[in-house]
Amino acid sequence: MIGAGSRLPLSRVKQMADNKPFTEQTVLITGASRGIGAAIARRFASVGMNVVIHYLQSHEAANETARSCMKTGASVLTVTADLRSLEQIRRMKEKLEQHGLIPDILVNNAGISHYGLLSDVTEEQWDELMGINLKGTFLMTREFMQPMIRQKYGRIINVSSIWGISGASCEVAYSTAKGGLNAFTKALAKELAPSGITVNAVAPGAVDTLMMSGFDPEEKAAIANDIPAGRFAQPEEIASLVYFLGLPESGYITGQIISPNGGWLT
């Protein structure tokens, strides 16, 4: 019998993946009603997987994402929870268990940003940023990694930001939250590797989503001009990397912060 901290041979890891074909696995994506999260949901759905779409308030947008996923033949469930609340997360988990949907892949995508001088950031804004970007990821991961440990297989993918690597002026709070997420990723990867679970972070540069709506066209053009690729990423490009990290054959990639940023940061 293999204990919780025992190391698995490659043959055993492959066997665990083969016992449940990739297309029959379940992926849970937080903050998946729109933007990068929705693109990730659609990418996994394209191969017919079981897809769980989490949202907080954007009910109709989440349903629209679910409908687009179901067109590919995927089994889809939408769930809502405030990720700062352990009680709500556990209720969501119970709902998934009732539907027989225990995530093999957890994508911690939910997050918020804040633009402004640190001197203008209120304590409430700071707490909200840390609560959603960090505490939510901690609570979700702690709750959903347990079944992965029991089955000796799993994928945890955290959606971070380029600013968590380099930091950004006027985004100190956001950079701090994403920097913390990167450290969380690296440390947890070492803790869970013996159980056949990988933990990685995808840290995009500028992506063409609603998160960029606070910038006017001139500001967006100036940002794009600073990027060697000359443009923002599309959500689908980030989703492709997340999908790759979720594959069984990506099992030797863990503890990595991978930044698709068009050459903006090298």
Side-chain angles (χ1 to χ4, degrees), residues 178-225:
K178 293 302 187 181
L181 182 61
N182 291 347
F184 176 88
T185 299
K186 292 179 179 181
L188 186 62
K190 294 179 179 180
E191 191 169 309
L192 295 183
S195 295
I197 302 166
T198 65
V199 187
N200 292 290
V202 173
V207 185
D208 190 13
T209 66
L210 283 176
M211 195 171 280
M212 298 296 296
S213 62
F215 297 94
D216 62 36
E218 291 76 19
E219 290 172 325
K220 290 182 179 179
I223 294 171
N225 190 57

Side-chain angles (χ1 to χ4, degrees), residues 118-261:
L118 182 64
S119 57
D120 295 330
V121 175
T122 67
E123 186 176 353
E124 291 74 22
Q125 289 172 328
W126 180 275
D127 288 345
E128 184 179 30
L129 272 165
M130 300 305 157
I132 294 175
N133 290 301
L134 274 179
K135 182 181 178 181
T137 296
F138 154 65
L139 291 176
M140 284 292 295
T141 302
R142 191 185 65 178
E143 290 301 303
F144 286 98
M145 73 182 191
Q146 298 304 326
M148 297 182 190
I149 292 172
R150 287 193 292 271
Q151 72 178 8
K152 294 293 185 179
Y153 178 84
R155 301 283 182 263
I156 298 171
I157 305 160
N158 302 318
V159 178
S160 182
S161 166
I162 188 176
W163 301 139
I165 301 172
S166 68
S169 175
C170 295
E171 294 193 62
V172 173
Y174 180 68
S175 299
T176 300
K178 293 302 187 181
L181 182 61
N182 291 347
F184 176 88
T185 299
K186 292 179 179 181
L188 186 62
K190 294 179 179 180
E191 191 169 309
L192 295 183
S195 295
I197 302 166
T198 65
V199 187
N200 292 290
V202 173
V207 185
D208 190 13
T209 66
L210 283 176
M211 195 171 280
M212 298 296 296
S213 62
F215 297 94
D216 62 36
E218 291 76 19
E219 290 172 325
K220 290 182 179 179
I223 294 171
N225 190 57
D226 284 340
I227 301 171
R231 64 176 179 86
F232 291 179
Q234 293 302 306
E236 291 73 19
E237 293 176 294
I238 310 305
S240 291
L241 176 54
V242 172
Y243 175 82
F244 173 76
L245 293 173
L247 292 169
E249 52 264 44
S250 297
Y252 203 61
I253 303 171
T254 195
Q256 302 305 302
I257 315 300
I258 305 173
S259 182
N261 59 61

Side-chain angles (χ1 to χ4, degrees), residues 32-34 53-55 58-67 78:
S33 61
R34 56 169 62 93
I53 296 169
H54 160 270
Y55 68 97
S58 304
H59 176 75
E60 199 45 53
N63 284 341
E64 180 58 34
T65 299
R67 285 190 286 268
T78 60

